[in-house]
Amino acid sequence: MLKKIGPDKWTHFYVGILMGALLQSVTWYLLPGRPVLDTVLTFVAVVAISYGFEVLSLVTGKGHYEVMDAIAAVIGGIIGMGIGGIFIYVLEHQLGV
């Protein structure tokens, strides 16, 4: 049976969506014409930022260190990467940018 997801996990999830969409858009802008490299770099950045934030919480003692928070942010980041990818597709193919 699935457990209820805590409100703090939802916050990490939503921040992950925003982070994934922004990073996907920025890497597309910085490395045009390389969609696979853009996606890989964005995924690595999402994982590094999400888990790095939790490690920083552990090291400094400020906040609560939970791996599930990082996982929620990464899942949101993957969804955000998809949203950013759709945005990029529309810009490139529909608007001719």
Side-chain angles (χ1 to χ4, degrees):
M1 187 176 252
L2 294 173
K3 295 191 288 185
K4 288 199 175 216
I5 300 171
D8 64 324
K9 306 298 184 273
W10 283 110
T11 304
H12 287 271
F13 176 75
Y14 294 135
V15 169
I17 291 174
L18 181 62
M19 178 175 52
L22 283 172
L23 288 174
Q24 185 72 34
S25 300
V26 168
T27 55
W28 165 77
Y29 179 75
L30 294 175
L31 300 168
R34 297 182 175 181
V36 174
L37 181 62
D38 292 347
T39 303
V40 169
L41 289 176
T42 302
F43 180 73
V44 169
V46 165
V47 171
I49 292 169
S50 299
Y51 191 67
F53 183 76
E54 294 302 318
V55 170
L56 185 67
S57 297
L58 176 67
V59 170
T60 61
K62 296 180 182 179
H64 298 286
Y65 170 77
E66 290 185 46
V67 174
M68 289 306 294
D69 288 346
I71 292 172
V74 169
I75 293 170
I78 292 170
I79 293 170
M81 287 169 59
I83 293 169
I86 292 169
F87 176 72
I88 291 164
Y89 178 81
V90 168
L91 280 178
E92 284 184 339
H93 295 93
Q94 303 299 323
L95 300 177
V97 174

